[in-house]
Amino acid sequence: MTEALPAELTIEQSIDLKPYNSLSISAVAEYFCVVDHIDQLHRALNFAHKNKLKVTPLGGGSNLVIASDISGLVLQINLKGLTIKPVERDMLDICFSAGENWHAMVSHCLENGWYGLENLALIPGNMGAAPIQNIGAYGVELCEFLQSVEVVEVATGKVLTLSCEDCEFGYRTSIFKQAAKDSYIITAVTLRLSKMPRVNIEYPSLKASLTSDQPTPKEIYQAVCKIRRSKLPDPAEIPNVGSFFKNPIVQSEMAANLAVDYPELPIYPYSVSSSKLAAAWLIEHCGFKGCRRGDVGVHPHQALVLVNYQGNGSAILALADEIKLQVLQTFSVELEIEPRIYGTIT
Ligand code: EPU
């Protein structure tokens, strides 16, 4: 059954979200629409307000666990396009619409000589999701480039622009996962890039994979793509959401104690008093790497990645709980789930 609203917005009922999430979980959205234009977003929000429906936005669906059917209106944000504004010296600001694919934009920027995003190649998902968890990889985080985020406030339909400071970025977190969770729909992201190559090869496995110590941005992009392809499963082939847990941040004193008992545990400095531990190592050392529990499991090449062979959200979350408990009992370290969980956990 479909209900057409003025102009081209179509709101459908009882739609399976399986094609819209990279874990390939089947779950039904009570109402669903694809938003191609900003006008449609305003219309969709009006429809939700009028009918007292909860609004759930989806981007590429690559950082999401759907735990149950979703009541209310699910919006797939498919806004496209980019605009470029030169700023001082060799810099330029590029405003990307939220529905643009992240990796396609990284490649587009490199081809045009707009540098900075090479280390973030091949991260799945769309532009609009990138600020939510402040995506990061191989020594670089999104917040280093972010100028502003354009949002529509769900409650009022107001268009607002948030600065980088407003976004309260941290390691895999932002205001969109904290105080402003569920408050805004991200419609565009502006990044400041450089016309001069600016390379960062500090991340050990990246440095080790490069033949030159003065690589070009293209060489970095290629190296990152190669490492990711060798370790991380392609969601189109084996459904996954990338890292399922954050790397835990603990007091440095605790990290020092763990280092005595487990000298091979990778530990990175985080702040003056805290350190970051490699969650993948903790999980692997609890024996989960490559394990299978029915139709879900842990990837054989990266213990931080849970994979869905043919299971559902509950099976994935049950395996995540088993891993969390075992890591806590073994190392006294609490793991935190990285993707958003939508729906109700049963
Ligand atoms: N390791 C293991 N077992 C494994 C995998 C890794 O012991 O199965 C060890 C490695 O030997 C290494 C350490 O863990 O010493 C770190 O491994 P890796 O470089 O693969 O990075 P990570 O900490 O596991 C993080 C991000 C990834 C990102 C990489 C590279 C988080 C939660 N994850 O993973 O991000 O690609 O660094 O920068 O911070 C994502 O967020 O979806 C994601 C893939």
Side-chain angles (χ1 to χ4, degrees), residues 173-251:
T173 194
S174 72
I175 196 165
F176 307 109
K177 283 180 102 176
Q178 307 287 335
K181 191 168 168 232
D182 301 329
S183 305
Y184 301 129
I185 292 172
I186 295 175
T187 53
V189 176
T190 299
L191 304 181
R192 181 160 293 182
L193 301 182
S194 169
K195 286 189 262 178
M196 296 294 288
R198 288 180 185 204
V199 298
N200 176 338
I201 54 166
E202 291 310 305
Y203 198 82
S205 63
L206 175 60
K207 201 173 200 163
S209 73
L210 293 160
T211 42
S212 153
D213 53 9
Q214 286 182 318
T216 62
K218 188 163 184 187
E219 283 166 339
I220 293 182
Y221 169 93
Q222 287 167 336
V224 167
C225 289
K226 197 168 166 200
I227 304 175
R228 288 189 75 99
R229 287 200 173 104
S230 71
K231 291 210 294 198
L232 296 166
D234 178 351
E237 284 160 27
I238 309 178
N240 74 88
V241 284
S243 300
F244 203 88
F245 299 99
K246 290 186 184 185
N247 284 328
I249 292 155
V250 300
Q251 291 300 308

Side-chain angles (χ1 to χ4, degrees), residues 10-11 31 42 50 58 62 73 76 102 119 190 209 239 241 253 315 323:
T10 303
I11 295 184
Y31 293 92
H42 291 293
K50 214 169 67 190
L58 282 187
S62 61
L73 176 62
Q76 208 264 323
W102 173 266
N119 301 48
T190 299
S209 73
V241 284
E253 196 187 329
I323 292 171

Side-chain angles (χ1 to χ4, degrees), residues 24 88 133 232 258 310 322:
S24 218
E88 85 271 12
Q133 80 269 29
L232 296 166
L258 282 167
Q310 254 180 341
E322 187 189 338

